Structure formats: C-alpha cells, structure tokens
Amino acid sequence: MGMPEIHVVQRDNRHLYEQYFDPYFRLRHDIYVKQRKWMALDRPDGREIDQFDTEDAAYLFCLDGGQLIGAMRALPTLMPTLMSDIFPYLAIRGPVHRADVYELSRIFVIPERRGEHAGPRIEMLLLTAIMEYGISIGLTGFSIVLESWWLPRFERCGWRAHPLGLPQMIDGMSVLAVLVDCNETTWKSLCTQIGLTNPTLTWHGLTGVNRQILPDISLLHSPTVQPAR
Ligand code: COA
C-alpha cells in the first residue's frame, strides 16, 4: 500500500476534484450528523454543507487509491468564519480577522482509517500537511473553534495552541477558541515524528497560486519545539 496523498483543493483547481465533493459532503454528514450527532448540521439531502463551503474555502483531501479517507477545511479569516459568525463570544478580544491566519474546521478521518496503522496515522498526516499548506502560502497561524479534548493531543504532537477565551459548554461539549502557531519549526517537528523527509502536499492545477516552495525537511534548521512526552 502506497502512502496516502494529501491534495490541496481550492477555487482554482476545484474542477479537477468535482467527483470527490459529493462523497466528501456525504462523509461529513455520516460523521458529524449520524455519528457525532451534531444535529444542527443535519440536512435532508444527506450532505453536510454549510455557509462556509464557498469558493474561498480551501480543502485538504487525503486520497488513498482514489478513495477519500480524510479531510480538513481552511477558511481565510478575512471572510466569514465559524468564529466570526457562529461563536464570536468564544474569543474575548473578538474573532480573528487576519490575512495571515486561516480558520481550520471539519477535520476527519473515516472510521476504518483511525488510530495507528502501518504508515503514519492519517490524522497526524493531515496535521502535518496543513502546517505545510500554511507555511507555503505565508500564514503565521490557524484559528480554530474546537472541543477541549484536542488540547492534550495538540500538546503531544507539538502544535502550540493559544486560548483566545475560556471554554464554554455548548450542546454538552466543552468548546473553546484557539490560535495555533504555523511555522517551520512545528512543521519540521511533525515531519520528524511521522517520518516524512519531503513536503507532502499535491498542488495539482495550482501553478497560478502564489506560494513558497518548501525545501527538503533535512535542509531546515533543527526544531526547538519538542512534543511533550
Ligand atoms: N471526544 C473525545 N475524544 C476524542 C473524540 C471525541 N469525539 N474523538 C477522538 N478523541 C480522542 C480520544 O482520546 C481518542 O482515543 P480513544 O479512542 O482512546 O478514546 C483519540 O482521540 C484517538 O481517536 P481515534 O478516533 O481513534 O482516531 P484518530 O486519532 O486517528 O483520529 C479524529 C482523530 C478526530 C480525526 C477522528 O476521531 C475523527 O475523524 N472523528 C470524527 C470527526 C471529528 O469529530 N472531528 C473533530 C471535530 S471537526
């Protein structure tokens, strides 16, 4: 089995990935509505699509042998976000609106590919890939509205999350807003943890996108941030 590929999908190359969008939105419905029971996201057509799935959204699609096995969404924070439009009260100083920060949401891995496998964990691969994406397009951070169980997971893998407010109970979940650092140090540390030696993202059809080409990981400085043990 080859290494799953992580594809950047956004406005300019979305037409190349049209076949994946219907399964993608159905998977989101299965995972968030049926499994996690986030009933506010329920839709009669069995697809979980919200007001933030616009042409400004960027997606990472994790594909293995042509099958979508995981994904994540990134929204420019200069546009409406979950934090600005749905959960503004979670950020004490107000929602993040910055050109150099994107908001992450809807990270998932299909149930049969969760946990540890022979290769790197898909979830870790996505966390590594989104750092690579952020650095490539010049971001310095990611804002996220998340459940607090993510915090120890971020801590373990070396993601540095700064709280923007206090956790609140929302629909029985402890939820808070954070800003996560996006930098080469974190990226390199993640790559080392999962055994990646090269940038991993596939940028099909995105030659027009202004981005920094990242070097081999071995050419970067040693990470100073170590994941907590
Ligand atoms: N509540 C609390 N802890 C959770 C959790 C949840 N809903 N989902 C995952 N975790 C934590 C637990 O510590 C879990 O360990 P456990 O199985 O011993 O309880 C650990 O994460 C490992 O999770 P697992 O599901 O085995 O797989 P993973 O690490 O490969 O993938 C996710 C993690 C979140 C990507 C995967 O669980 C997923 O796709 N979940 C559904 C989508 C989702 O809820 N995304 C987050 C909000 S957008």
Side-chain angles (χ1 to χ4, degrees):
M1 198 165 50
M3 172 85 127
E5 294 175 351
I6 312 262
H7 292 244
V8 177
V9 182
Q10 52 192 43
R11 187 198 321 247
D12 297 338
N13 67 346
R14 193 180 163 124
H15 59 283
L16 301 175
Y17 293 88
E18 274 315 325
Q19 87 228 53
Y20 291 105
F21 273 91
D22 194 52
Y24 169 63
F25 290 128
R26 286 175 184 277
L27 272 174
R28 274 176 38 178
H29 196 272
D30 282 353
I31 290 173
Y32 294 108
V33 179
K34 287 203 193 133
Q35 292 164 23
R36 298 236 35 211
K37 311 231 177 306
W38 293 1
M39 298 320 285
L41 306 182
D42 193 12
R43 296 196 347 159
D45 70 355
R47 293 168 183 82
E48 194 272 295
I49 304 176
D50 68 12
Q51 64 269 47
F52 307 108
D53 290 300
T54 66
E55 58 174 26
D56 294 310
Y59 303 90
L60 295 188
F61 281 175
C62 183
L63 303 179
D64 196 10
Q67 189 198 359
L68 185 66
I69 62 168
M72 182 186 273
R73 180 174 70 176
L75 306 169
T77 60
L78 293 181
M79 308 302 289
T81 57
L82 277 88
M83 198 182 292
S84 72
D85 285 23
I86 302 183
F87 304 104
Y89 53 89
L90 289 178
I92 289 171
R93 295 202 179 119
V96 180
H97 281 294
R98 281 168 48 178
D100 60 342
V101 175
Y102 275 26
E103 181 186 79
L104 303 182
S105 52
R106 300 295 194 270
I107 179 173
F108 72 83
V109 174
I110 60 168
E112 52 274 31
R113 298 301 297 267
R114 293 180 193 164
E116 301 293 342
H117 291 272
R121 192 144 111 235
I122 303 305
E123 181 250 1
M124 279 289 279
L125 198 56
L126 279 167
L127 294 180
T128 308
I130 196 68
M131 275 292 154
E132 181 185 328
Y133 177 73
I135 301 164
S136 303
I137 64 163
L139 303 183
T140 65
F142 295 114
S143 53
I144 323 180
V145 172
L146 42 62
E147 294 160 86
S148 52
W149 53 263
W150 278 101
L151 297 179
R153 292 168 67 86
F154 283 178
E155 185 66 24
R156 270 197 302 276
C157 78
W159 268 41
R160 295 194 54 180
H162 311 277
L164 300 175
L166 291 173
Q168 313 236 359
M169 285 310 282
I170 303 174
D171 293 337
M173 296 180 284
S174 165
V175 178
L176 77 160
V178 298
L179 186 62
V180 173
D181 298 338
C182 171
N183 55 41
E184 283 192 352
T185 306
T186 311
W187 178 57
K188 183 172 177 184
S189 161
L190 284 157
C191 290
T192 308
Q193 289 172 64
I194 65 173
L196 275 185
T197 53
N198 289 297
T200 188
L201 289 177
T202 301
W203 301 78
H204 274 325
L206 289 174
T207 42
V209 168
N210 191 8
R211 70 179 169 103
Q212 183 196 348
I213 308 286
L214 299 185
D216 280 4
I217 286 108
S218 58
L219 301 175
L220 294 171
H221 295 299
S222 295
T224 49
V225 178
Q226 292 295 337
R229 292 277 163 226

